[in-house]
Amino acid sequence: MKFAIIKEVKSPPDRRVVLSPKACCQLLETYPNAEVVVQSSDIRVFKDEEYRALGIKVSEDVSDCDVMLGVKEATIDSLIANKSYFFFSHTIKKQPYNRTLLNAILDKNITFYDHETVTDSRGNRLIGFGYYAGIVGAYNAIRAYGLKFGGINLPNADSLKDGKELEEELQKIKVPAIKIVVTGTGKVGTGVKEILEILKIKEVSVNDYLEKEFNEPVYVQLDALDYNARKDGQELDKYDFFENPSDYESTFMRFAAVSDLYIAAHFYGEGAPYIITHDNTKTDTFNIKVIADISCDIDGPVAPTIRPSTIADPVYGYNPETSQEIDYKDAKAIVVMAVDNLPCELPDNASRGFGNMFLKDVIPAFFNDDKEGVLQRAKMTENGKLTENFKYLQDYVDGKE
């Protein structure tokens, strides 16, 4: 089996990589029959020379490889027919802007695996950059608050070498006595929590957060049923929420009334109630001044997220009176941080972490006849057709929705 680490070609460029030089060595040591070729790149966080120094082949041409490993979407022109590919395609939610990409994958008879579709037998995702999105998202949340109100001076995370330097910058600041609400307790939420703990911000219970005043910064981390309730008043478990999201309504406004900063680190499922609507932000009880939307679903559950922002220009203002963008310094503005590629700001750490997961949960499947079914579940296309698990995308592919 011959693996290629392909060059990232999407614009703006992404410096992350599926396997670091060390991870490539680990793969070859574990599976002596495997081969790895790294496609030459001048933007990757690890230089070509770092791979060569460890005996990893670097080449412009990877057309003789079997499995192509990338991070972001490949361009249609760069796709090689009749190969296997891994990357984030952003198609499984029927994103209209990538329909032509999925069609090209089918037309070129590519066996395609989306990183998002790599799951265990219970449907839990096995690989991803979520933890690092949480790390950088929480850092950017605090930075955004400082940009709006002053008193906190943090450099852009993209200017820092790695997570260690990021932590050093956080230790230089003092966060005022604000209240921070976090939605989400998964990998993204775990990354957020780590940053808040580095800042020594105290975690409090839901009841204390809602009812008490504090003379120090505090945060509360919410699971789905903390800010959603069944419309009929029944109190069931969160699995009922996941199975019947349309039976629920948001109760987030009770947190919005007492919060200064909101960090959205949740996964939003189709049919779930919106967390913040445009009308919510118009009320006198809406107190949130800064929103860091790590989930970044445009026109989705957090209404002030009206567009993604960029690493170079990470914040914008949202005018609750008009539901339109304004200067974030405007007195009326709610500040929104909605960078949709946050892990790119820590490409070294994010790549190493992702590679460890990929080596543990994906690579073995190529050498053990996929005994856990990892590849079978993740496979979206084969022989020019959608696989059974992804037949729901057929109308999307055909341009009918």
Side-chain angles (χ1 to χ4, degrees):
M1 184 65 64
K2 194 168 187 179
F3 298 92
I5 308 299
I6 58 176
K7 180 179 180 178
E8 297 298 319
V9 291
K10 185 180 180 183
S11 182
D14 194 312
R15 301 180 65 210
R16 292 173 295 171
V17 65
V18 174
L19 296 176
S20 68
K22 183 178 179 181
C24 288
C25 289
Q26 289 176 311
L27 190 160
L28 296 173
E29 289 170 5
T30 306
Y31 304 101
N33 293 331
E35 296 181 66
V36 177
V37 180
V38 176
Q39 190 170 27
S40 182
S41 170
D42 57 359
I43 61 170
R44 190 179 290 128
V45 64
F46 303 109
K47 305 299 183 186
D48 290 351
E49 292 73 22
E50 294 180 70
Y51 287 95
R52 289 194 183 101
L54 295 179
I56 308 299
K57 181 181 177 181
V58 178
S59 173
E60 293 283 352
D61 183 10
V62 293
S63 60
D64 63 339
C65 294
D66 306 301
V67 182
M68 312 293 177
L69 305 179
V71 178
K72 300 293 280 186
E73 301 101 311
T75 60
I76 291 172
D77 290 345
S78 71
L79 292 171
I80 304 173
N82 306 312
K83 301 293 183 179
S84 294
Y85 274 83
F86 278 82
F87 54 77
F88 288 104
S89 69
H90 300 288
T91 59
I92 63 173
K93 293 182 181 179
K94 303 182 180 181
Q95 292 94 322
Y97 53 88
N98 277 338
R99 186 176 70 84
T100 54
L101 173 61
L102 186 52
N103 270 294
I105 288 170
L106 291 164
D107 291 343
K108 295 190 178 190
N109 193 36
I110 287 168
T111 301
F112 179 63
Y113 308 85
D114 194 300
H115 292 310
E116 287 192 76
T117 65
V118 178
T119 63
D120 63 19
S121 59
R122 295 176 295 178
N124 299 309
R125 284 183 61 183
L126 292 173
I127 60 174
F129 289 98
Y131 170 75
Y132 292 97
I135 291 283
V136 180
Y139 177 93
N140 281 358
I142 301 300
R143 181 169 181 261
Y145 193 91
L147 289 172
K148 175 71 172 179
F149 297 106
I152 297 173
N153 294 304
L154 289 171
N156 193 319
D158 190 42
S159 69
L160 305 175
K161 178 183 177 183
D162 53 25
K164 182 179 179 181
E165 286 193 4
L166 185 145
E167 182 173 343
E168 290 171 353
E169 291 296 332
L170 290 172
Q171 290 172 343
K172 298 175 184 178
I173 67 169
K174 182 176 182 180
V175 179
I178 59 175
K179 297 175 83 170
I180 304 170
V181 58
V182 182
T183 51
T185 58
K187 289 184 175 67
V188 181
T190 299
V192 170
K193 187 180 183 75
E194 182 167 319
I195 293 300
L196 298 179
E197 289 180 349
I198 288 172
L199 289 166
K200 295 182 169 55
I201 297 177
K202 181 180 178 181
E203 183 176 13
V204 298
S205 69
V206 168
N207 286 341
D208 283 353
Y209 187 89
L210 291 172
E211 297 173 6
K212 294 183 179 180
E213 297 293 330
F214 298 89
N215 57 9
E216 61 181 322
V218 299
Y219 78 96
V220 65
Q221 188 167 26
L222 307 180
D223 209 345
L225 293 187
D226 291 320
Y227 59 97
N228 292 287
R230 279 189 64 95
K231 297 173 184 177
D232 62 10
Q234 290 188 79
E235 294 185 5
L236 303 178
D237 60 28
K238 64 181 179 181
Y239 298 104
D240 179 70
F241 172 73
F242 298 145
E243 293 173 6
N244 306 292
S246 60
D247 292 339
Y248 285 75
E249 59 188 358
S250 173
T251 60
F252 186 77
M253 277 298 289
R254 59 188 181 137
F255 296 97
V258 297
S259 299
D260 302 290
L261 169 60
Y262 170 35
I263 303 178
H266 56 268
F267 171 79
Y268 179 73
E270 186 175 353
Y274 279 12
I275 299 170
I276 298 172
T277 66
H278 292 294
D279 287 340
N280 289 154
T281 65
K282 294 177 169 63
T283 65
D284 293 337
T285 57
F286 191 87
N287 189 65
I288 294 171
K289 303 172 183 68
V290 176
I291 295 173
D293 191 353
I294 300 171
S295 300
C296 196
D297 292 307
I298 308 305
D299 294 325
V302 182
T305 304
I306 54 178
R307 67 168 176 86
S309 55
T310 65
I311 291 172
D313 193 11
V315 302
Y316 58 86
Y318 169 83
N319 185 347
E321 296 175 4
T322 64
S323 303
Q324 301 295 317
E325 182 174 341
I326 55 173
D327 190 317
Y328 76 87
K329 286 288 190 180
D330 191 293
K332 296 188 293 291
I334 297 169
V335 176
V336 179
M337 189 291 300
V339 176
D340 62 358
N341 57 344
L342 286 163
C344 296
E345 299 194 59
L346 278 183
D348 184 302
N349 297 80
S351 296
R352 293 179 193 275
F354 188 87
N356 289 338
M357 290 182 279
F358 204 85
L359 285 176
K360 174 179 176 289
D361 293 312
V362 180
I363 292 297
F366 285 98
F367 299 95
N368 66 13
D369 294 323
D370 194 25
K371 67 178 183 179
E372 303 294 336
V374 171
L375 297 179
Q376 188 61 35
R377 286 189 296 272
K379 190 185 299 178
M380 289 181 63
T381 68
E382 187 176 34
N383 299 323
K385 298 180 180 179
L386 293 167
T387 60
E388 193 61 35
N389 289 342
F390 297 93
K391 290 288 188 183
Y392 73 92
L393 293 172
Q394 191 62 58
D395 284 347
Y396 164 66
V397 166
D398 294 339
K400 295 178 181 178
E401 57 171 82

